[in-house]
Amino acid sequence: MSTSNVPAYSTPVFGSAAHSREPLWLRRVLELMLCAFLAYVFTDGTLIAVNTGVSDMTSLVLESGEGDSSRQIFYIGIAVLLFLIAARHGLSNVVAPFPLSVFIVIVWCFCSTSWAIVPDISLRRAILATIIIFATITIVAALGPLRVTQLLYRILAFFVVANMLSVVLLPGYAIHSEGELDTALIGAWHGLMPHKNIASAVTALSAIVFGYHAFLTRSWKSAVLLVLSIIFLLGTRGKTSLGIVMPCLLAGIMYNHAFRTERQKFLLFASIFLFIAGLAVFAMIFTPLLAQIFDDPTSFTGRVAIWDIVLRYVEEYPMTGAGFGSFWLIGQDSPILRIGGDMPWLFGIAHSHNGYLEMLVTTGVPGLVLTVIMFVVVPFYSFVMADPVWRKINGLYFGIWLFAVIYNLLETHIMNRDRQVWVIMLIAIQVAFLHRKRIPGTGPRIVLDN
């Protein structure tokens, strides 16, 4: 990815204003760790999908909630290495790069494990989620937003090209076959990823990255990668990703232009406010129609039925929820067996298909409020308060962050361990955190300079 359109990014050492003198080999190790980490995340912990002929992902998850030991070992190994690197400059600096907003949500999730339906499963899932958050935030702080963006661009380029080649050369491997348990998957592309939903999410993020870079630099390579991303995204049939990718790309471009002057900046955020107000007015005017849609359990490909079950449980335990990660796929203790007994197909569902409802049903109203404030309101404020010198790189991450915020209205990725959109959302949040206007000498200290 070209860096000519982005200001040079220098990052001070942990706990010091001086530039880092870390050896080059350590920087290369961190870069390799980031590439391996993202590749593992993008392929859902498989690196290369094993074609079993069955892509019902929930059927591959152990009902007891034991999880995948190889996945846990991989992430723990990454986190330990990053901890040791950060601790070279003092243990107090291990948590220095953490946005307070993320830390507050983590604390509440751990509190909820004390009243969880299955505490040991809840605690394990909370620990894994924390490890992944720590790894993501620390490596962004260590390498700096610019270098992370360059590597992200290359990794996404690799997957877009490899996915397209796999569809052309190995269609039996890269396209969901007729042996799928879910017949709706038949014919959908997934490439190297194990499922078309994963492939569509990663490819949509790719389209935002390549589209944004092509617009800013007029790069023909990025334009070609954008076209390939759109073609593959269409092949995945990922409706959620297809519906929101272009508006989020345009939002990122608008952000970049808006930060050229204070007037343009005001007009952008005034437009966003008016758009939200317009949606509220639309909802009030068309309330009967919306009620009819949400009364139909088959609406949104069955999501309404799932949301209804979730809200029934919330009515019983509004303030506490079931405990973090302690509602779906926890074995015979799952509330779904009691509440959804008349709909057996719900027993294999892995999440609420709405990240905000997931936090509501597992961590209660306080958890939902904290999630919205800390992952929506605070990052938005960080982007608004960012130093204009970073507007070009921030515009990209604003589009990515907005994609994640909207995507979680129909899928569950927020705080969902190593879900692809969640990890990239964390990167965007950290970039916004690092680029906020600060008093000189304050703010997070970072390991390496670029």
Side-chain angles (χ1 to χ4, degrees):
M1 183 177 182
S2 171
T3 62
S4 60
N5 66 316
V6 184
Y9 191 93
S10 61
T11 56
V13 183
F14 263 123
S16 170
H19 289 298
S20 171
R21 291 186 174 87
E22 296 288 353
L24 180 62
W25 67 265
L26 181 55
R27 179 188 302 281
R28 295 293 177 253
V29 168
L30 282 166
E31 292 173 353
L32 180 61
M33 288 170 61
L34 175 63
C35 292
F37 177 71
L38 290 178
Y40 201 79
V41 167
F42 290 163
T43 56
D44 201 39
T46 61
L47 287 181
I48 296 179
V50 177
N51 193 349
T52 62
V54 177
S55 291
D56 180 1
M57 298 304 290
T58 59
S59 69
L60 303 178
V61 181
L62 299 177
E63 288 187 357
S64 62
E66 292 295 333
D68 184 341
S69 58
S70 61
R71 180 182 302 225
Q72 294 166 1
I73 291 171
F74 176 83
Y75 289 130
I76 290 173
I78 290 285
V80 169
L81 288 173
L82 287 170
F83 177 87
L84 293 176
I85 291 171
R88 285 161 57 92
H89 300 282
L91 291 177
S92 63
N93 292 310
V94 172
V95 296
F98 266 71
L100 181 61
S101 58
V102 176
F103 184 76
I104 290 173
V105 177
I106 290 173
V107 169
W108 180 255
C109 289
F110 271 98
C111 289
S112 75
T113 64
S114 64
W115 61 73
I117 296 174
V118 185
D120 58 330
I121 294 177
S122 177
L123 183 60
R124 281 201 304 271
R125 291 176 175 175
I127 291 173
L128 182 57
T130 303
I131 287 172
I132 290 165
I133 291 171
F134 170 80
T136 305
I137 287 177
T138 303
I139 205 163
V140 173
L143 289 173
L146 177 57
R147 188 56 181 157
V148 168
T149 305
Q150 293 168 337
L151 293 173
L152 177 63
Y153 179 98
R154 294 169 186 173
I155 294 167
L156 291 174
F158 166 80
F159 275 108
V160 166
V161 173
N163 283 337
M164 286 298 299
L165 288 175
S166 67
V167 169
V168 175
L169 301 177
L170 301 168
Y173 173 88
I175 301 175
H176 288 296
S177 65
E178 294 181 357
E180 299 291 350
L181 297 178
D182 184 355
T183 57
L185 295 177
I186 297 174
W189 299 358
H190 63 82
L192 299 183
M193 283 78 171
H195 195 277
K196 68 102 175 176
N197 286 347
I198 297 171
S200 64
V202 174
T203 308
L205 292 168
S206 302
I208 293 174
V209 172
F210 302 139
Y212 186 84
H213 189 251
F215 182 86
L216 259 64
T217 66
R218 303 299 189 266
S219 166
W220 68 268
K221 292 181 181 179
S222 293
V224 170
L225 288 169
L226 172 61
V227 172
L228 291 177
S229 298
I230 293 173
I231 293 173
F232 189 81
L233 184 56
L234 290 170
T236 66
R237 303 178 189 170
K239 297 182 181 67
T240 302
S241 298
L242 279 167
I244 63 177
V245 63
M246 292 310 296
C248 293
L249 171 58
L250 292 174
I253 293 172
M254 289 174 61
Y255 178 99
N256 172 48
H257 281 277
F259 267 66
R260 291 180 175 179
T261 66
E262 287 297 321
R263 179 175 177 274
Q264 290 175 320
K265 179 178 173 181
F266 170 78
L267 289 175
L268 171 65
F269 295 112
S271 299
I272 293 175
F273 175 80
L274 291 175
F275 175 74
I276 295 173
L279 288 179
V281 172
F282 175 85
M284 289 187 290
I285 295 175
F286 293 96
T287 296
L289 176 61
L290 293 174
Q292 182 180 351
I293 293 173
F294 283 97
D295 283 341
D296 182 359
T298 63
S299 295
F300 296 104
T301 60
R303 286 176 172 83
V304 171
I306 299 172
W307 297 339
D308 180 62
I309 294 296
V310 167
L311 292 175
R312 282 194 228 171
Y313 187 84
V314 171
E315 289 177 357
E316 298 178 14
Y317 304 95
M319 299 307 295
T320 60
F324 181 78
S326 191
F327 188 83
W328 306 98
L329 298 176
I330 58 173
Q332 298 299 314
D333 295 319
S334 176
I336 200 67
L337 299 177
R338 171 174 58 87
I339 303 175
D342 56 337
M343 291 180 284
W345 63 273
L346 286 171
F347 299 165
I349 299 297
H351 54 80
S352 304
H353 281 280
N354 183 305
Y356 308 103
L357 285 181
E358 183 79 8
M359 292 301 291
L360 175 63
V361 76
T362 56
T363 60
V365 172
L368 173 63
V369 171
L370 286 174
T371 297
V372 172
I373 292 175
M374 303 307 178
F375 294 140
V376 179
V377 177
V378 171
F380 181 77
Y381 175 78
S382 295
F383 279 114
V384 172
M385 296 304 296
D387 193 319
V389 72
W390 303 116
R391 62 183 173 82
K392 291 184 177 180
I393 193 170
N394 279 1
L396 169 62
Y397 286 104
F398 180 77
I400 288 174
W401 167 80
L402 184 62
F403 177 89
V405 169
I406 300 173
Y407 190 82
N408 272 280
L409 292 172
L410 293 173
E411 301 293 345
T412 301
H413 279 236
I414 285 182
M415 287 298 297
N416 192 2
R417 301 184 291 282
D418 60 347
R419 295 298 85 192
Q420 297 74 28
V421 174
W422 167 237
V423 170
I424 303 302
M425 184 183 192
L426 278 174
I427 293 177
I429 290 173
Q430 180 67 348
V431 169
F433 173 68
L434 295 175
H435 284 170
R436 276 175 58 178
K437 292 180 180 178
R438 303 179 185 279
I439 300 172
T442 67
R445 301 304 190 204
I446 310 172
V447 173
L448 304 175
D449 68 341
N450 279 338

